[in-house]
Amino acid sequence: MKKPFGSPGKASGLILRIGQCLFSTASIGVMTSASGFFTVTAFCYLIASMGLQVLWSFGLACLDIHALRFNKELHNHVIMSLFVVGDWVVATLSLAAACSSAGVMVLFTKDTEMCKTYTKFSCNLFPISIAFAFVSWFLVAISSYVMFWLVASI
Amino acid sequence: MKKPFGSPGKASGLILRIGQCLFSTASIGVMTSASGFFTVTAFCYLIASMGLQVLWSFGLACLDIHALRFNKELHNHVIMSLFVVGDWVVATLSLAAACSSAGVMVLFTKDTEMCKTYTKFSCNLFPISIAFAFVSWFLVAISSYVMFWLVASI
């Protein structure tokens, strides 16, 4: 079977995993550098969720490097099923974290005057971190669809 | 091919669609009956997203009834692909709406004293509406996976 774009053990798959790692790390970096983030549960959850995504994507990136280097075949049904479940859990948690943070951010900037009254909040940094989290989710969503497609068509 | 649980044109598929309609409608009903919801963008977005889900699920429920009544075959590749795209869009929007509302709700109850200071908010009704939205998302997620599985394995 021809391997589709982004499948494990392929260069495009590795690029997707590296992208997920980079954007998740960037999201955590920007959020932790913003003052006042720890007072909002949604922002703390974003950091936890992005942390999980970094670990997951880094692990799979290492596996991809190993497969590319030694020309190994990763299209085993058990491994793929494991990847699918993991990818979907991580993707759902990432989307949930990004959306809950975005909801709070809209409340801070549009619905209330919290960003103006509470000057301790770094309201210019929160949206950047959330945007990185959405990009990271988008990349993991692509991987999830490719994995699910592969498992369903094996 | 044997039709899996929840596939279109099957009684289980129809039950899933009716469940989605009911929980989305309940979510809208509870949210609109809560005072002060219109001042929060996330809650308004929840209503819009649940409205879209009601329309989508109701349409597909009618199609399921038609298929069951006249014993029609809905496993056409074009129709199924359309269902998959629609289901995934609706599921993603529903999860996004439920999570953004949940993020705001946690901010209201845990991070700040907004529910105590702003007595105009019906803080007891918002979580019920959000819970219904999550149940509705869960049901549409099951339909989406079944659809995607069917399209991938056709």
Side-chain angles (χ1 to χ4, degrees):
Chain A
M1 193 179 73
K2 197 178 171 288
K3 289 179 186 179
F5 171 87
S7 57
K10 213 181 163 189
S12 54
L14 178 61
I15 292 166
L16 272 179
R17 295 294 172 196
I18 292 170
Q20 289 158 24
C21 275
L22 287 178
F23 281 103
S24 307
T25 314
S27 177
I28 295 170
V30 175
M31 188 54 89
T32 48
S33 67
S35 66
F37 79 89
F38 51 85
T39 55
V40 180
T41 308
F43 296 159
C44 297
Y45 171 50
L46 184 83
I47 292 173
S49 177
M50 288 295 113
L52 178 72
Q53 190 166 317
V54 170
L55 289 175
W56 175 256
S57 298
F58 182 74
L60 290 196
C62 291
L63 211 66
D64 276 344
I65 292 168
H66 175 81
L68 280 168
R69 199 178 161 88
F70 300 102
N71 209 18
K72 291 254 184 186
E73 185 61 70
L74 287 179
H75 287 211
N76 172 295
H77 203 276
V78 180
I79 295 176
M80 294 292 289
S81 303
L82 197 79
F83 286 175
V84 167
V85 174
D87 259 342
W88 279 108
V89 170
V90 170
T92 308
L93 291 177
S94 296
L95 180 63
C99 290
S100 56
S101 299
V104 171
M105 200 58 231
V106 171
L107 185 89
F108 280 2
T109 50
K110 304 267 178 198
D111 306 333
T112 62
E113 301 280 292
M114 273 177 123
C115 274
K116 285 178 188 163
T117 47
Y118 292 91
T119 47
K120 62 169 184 169
F121 279 140
S122 302
C123 282
N124 52 334
L125 289 177
F126 296 146
I128 300 169
S129 173
I130 296 164
F132 282 146
F134 271 112
V135 175
S136 181
W137 162 74
F138 183 72
L139 295 177
V140 84
I142 296 172
S143 292
S144 312
Y145 277 106
V146 172
M147 293 292 178
F148 195 60
W149 186 270
L150 280 171
V151 168
S153 53
I154 278 174
Chain B
M1 192 180 71
K2 196 179 170 292
K3 289 180 186 178
F5 171 87
S7 56
K10 213 180 161 189
S12 53
L14 178 62
I15 292 165
L16 272 179
R17 297 293 173 196
I18 291 170
Q20 291 158 24
C21 275
L22 287 178
F23 282 103
S24 308
T25 313
S27 178
I28 295 171
V30 175
M31 188 55 88
T32 47
S33 67
S35 66
F37 79 88
F38 52 86
T39 56
V40 181
T41 307
F43 295 159
C44 296
Y45 171 49
L46 185 83
I47 292 172
S49 177
M50 287 297 112
L52 178 71
Q53 190 165 317
V54 170
L55 290 175
W56 175 256
S57 299
F58 182 74
L60 291 196
C62 290
L63 211 65
D64 276 343
I65 291 168
H66 175 80
L68 279 168
R69 199 176 162 87
F70 299 103
N71 209 17
K72 290 254 183 187
E73 184 61 69
L74 287 179
H75 287 212
N76 173 294
H77 203 276
V78 180
I79 294 176
M80 293 293 289
S81 303
L82 197 80
F83 285 175
V84 167
V85 175
D87 259 342
W88 279 108
V89 170
V90 171
T92 308
L93 291 178
S94 296
L95 180 63
C99 290
S100 56
S101 299
V104 171
M105 202 56 230
V106 171
L107 185 91
F108 279 3
T109 50
K110 304 265 178 197
D111 305 334
T112 62
E113 301 279 293
M114 273 176 122
C115 275
K116 286 177 188 162
T117 47
Y118 293 90
T119 46
K120 62 171 181 167
F121 280 140
S122 302
C123 282
N124 53 332
L125 289 177
F126 296 146
I128 300 169
S129 171
I130 296 165
F132 282 145
F134 272 112
V135 175
S136 179
W137 162 74
F138 183 72
L139 295 177
V140 82
I142 296 173
S143 292
S144 311
Y145 278 105
V146 172
M147 293 290 179
F148 196 59
W149 185 270
L150 281 170
V151 167
S153 52
I154 278 173

